[in-house]
Amino acid sequence: MQKSIESLISTFSLIRSGKASASIFDRVMVDLYGSTTPLNQVASISTPESRLIVIQPWDKAALTAIEKAILASDLSLNPNNDGKVIRINLPPLTEERRKDLVKQAKTEAEHHRVSIRNARRDALEQMKKAGLSEDDEKKDKEVIQKMTDSAIKKIDGLFSEKEKEILEI
């Protein structure tokens, strides 16, 4: 259940909100010197302003490869290369795009809720196979249910935080 919560946090960090975040580039891979490398391993990524991301490669020869990787990604961002660094101005999100992002976050949250319920089901099956007494089984069921409720409450909280972040203007 904890892994599912951590996975959701990671997934939510990749969903773009109105603010600049270096984590949106976590899945961007750069073709450099014949191999694909994560962007954060070939450049430093900073956010000096709320709507500006600056990518400074450690090797100036990587500038065009980084620019191509960003354009090829599904982030819909337009990088500006000045020969030393790449600057990306994040446009304000439209109302329609915000609603789409909230739907995406809601879908991810639901997938993770299902994952937690599956973990509960697996735990209950293992408990039945263990051959515990009725009293122990009842206590363990209550503990498992409390853990499940707590995890789902945590996911609901994470979703509401992300929804506020996305809808914030």
Side-chain angles (χ1 to χ4, degrees), residues 1 5 34 101-102 143-144 151:
M1 290 183 189
I5 291 171
L101 291 172
V102 169
V143 169
I144 291 169

Side-chain angles (χ1 to χ4, degrees), residues 34-50:
S35 65
T36 55
T37 311
L39 176 59
N40 59 8
Q41 292 183 9
V42 296
S44 65
I45 304 170
S46 61
T47 54
E49 297 174 20
S50 66

Side-chain angles (χ1 to χ4, degrees), residues 121-139:
R121 185 195 64 222
D122 293 344
L124 291 173
E125 285 176 9
Q126 288 178 357
M127 186 183 64
K128 286 181 183 178
K129 290 178 183 177
L132 301 173
S133 68
E134 281 187 38
D135 290 342
D136 289 342
E137 195 173 308
K138 187 175 180 181
K139 287 178 189 175

Side-chain angles (χ1 to χ4, degrees), residues 87-126:
R87 288 183 173 77
I88 300 172
N89 289 314
L90 296 176
L93 296 171
T94 63
E95 189 64 32
E96 182 179 329
R97 181 68 179 140
R98 288 178 192 275
K99 288 178 182 177
D100 288 343
L101 291 172
V102 169
K103 283 181 188 175
Q104 181 183 355
K106 189 174 188 175
T107 302
E108 288 296 331
E110 185 57 34
H111 286 302
H112 287 78
R113 281 188 207 101
V114 169
S115 173
I116 286 173
R117 290 185 199 114
N118 289 339
R120 175 188 61 191
R121 185 195 64 222
D122 293 344
L124 291 173
E125 285 176 9
Q126 288 178 357

